[in-house]
Amino acid sequence: MISATFALGSNQPLQRIESGGILLARFVGVLLLCSCYTYSNEAVSDAALMAPVRVELTEQGSQQITSQVGPRGSMLEGVVAAKSDSSLVFEVSALTRFNGVEETWHGEHVTVPTLGVSKIQRRKFSALNTGLFVAGLVTAGFLVKTVSDPGNVGRGSGGPPSGPGQ
């Protein structure tokens, strides 16, 4: 990466040299931002501690947690913080209401009776979808670079260039 800054008294641009570790960290960061996830159904009794999940509530379950989240909560997203035979405790990161409004939460604990859970889905990293997405981004970047290359602008039909007297 070349900086647009010039040293005082010099017409030479300053160059920024990055170590391999910083380059790797940036690549991993971009990959994490582009990551794709899927949700798969699992039994309430199989919910693993600290697993990222999405939980759909029954009408009764929604009513039972009204004192904790307010009225008409339909879906929770977060991680399973604790569980027993009769309830699950979630660290909630998002709450969706029956009208579709989604709220961001910051890890507040919400206890849900297991009978109030309609469906629980575990969030999993999807290597295939992520790979396809990254490949699409790379392809799009390549196409944009190819189209915007000044050597490709204004070319004729591909025949030999015209010379003098033609």
Side-chain angles (χ1 to χ4, degrees), residues 76-131:
L76 303 172
E77 289 188 45
V79 296
V80 180
K83 71 179 193 174
S84 69
D85 291 339
S86 61
S87 65
L88 296 169
V89 178
F90 299 99
E91 290 180 9
V92 179
S93 59
L95 169 75
T96 304
R97 306 248 177 229
F98 278 110
N99 62 1
V101 173
E102 192 171 305
E103 301 172 8
T104 302
W105 285 46
H106 303 284
E108 291 87 351
H109 284 218
V110 175
T111 302
V112 180
T114 53
L115 294 176
V117 175
S118 168
K119 180 170 43 172
I120 187 166
Q121 297 176 314
R122 187 170 184 171
R123 182 178 175 213
K124 295 180 181 179
F125 174 75
S126 173
L128 176 63
N129 290 348
T130 301

Side-chain angles (χ1 to χ4, degrees), residues 25-161:
R26 285 186 178 187
F27 176 75
V28 170
V30 167
L31 187 61
L32 287 174
L33 287 174
C34 297
S35 297
C36 299
Y37 295 88
T38 59
Y39 286 90
S40 60
N41 293 333
E42 65 179 28
V44 175
S45 60
D46 293 340
L49 292 177
M50 300 313 292
V53 294
R54 177 170 58 194
V55 178
E56 291 183 25
L57 303 171
T58 63
E59 186 73 37
Q60 180 185 7
S62 176
Q63 291 172 359
Q64 290 173 327
I65 66 168
T66 297
S67 63
Q68 300 173 75
V69 302
R72 307 203 34 86
S74 67
M75 189 182 327
L76 303 172
E77 289 188 45
V79 296
V80 180
K83 71 179 193 174
S84 69
D85 291 339
S86 61
S87 65
L88 296 169
V89 178
F90 299 99
E91 290 180 9
V92 179
S93 59
L95 169 75
T96 304
R97 306 248 177 229
F98 278 110
N99 62 1
V101 173
E102 192 171 305
E103 301 172 8
T104 302
W105 285 46
H106 303 284
E108 291 87 351
H109 284 218
V110 175
T111 302
V112 180
T114 53
L115 294 176
V117 175
S118 168
K119 180 170 43 172
I120 187 166
Q121 297 176 314
R122 187 170 184 171
R123 182 178 175 213
K124 295 180 181 179
F125 174 75
S126 173
L128 176 63
N129 290 348
T130 301
L132 291 172
F133 183 71
V134 170
L137 285 178
V138 169
T139 302
F142 177 74
L143 289 173
V144 167
K145 181 183 181 324
T146 302
V147 168
S148 64
D149 185 15
N152 291 332
V153 178
R155 283 192 178 168
S157 63

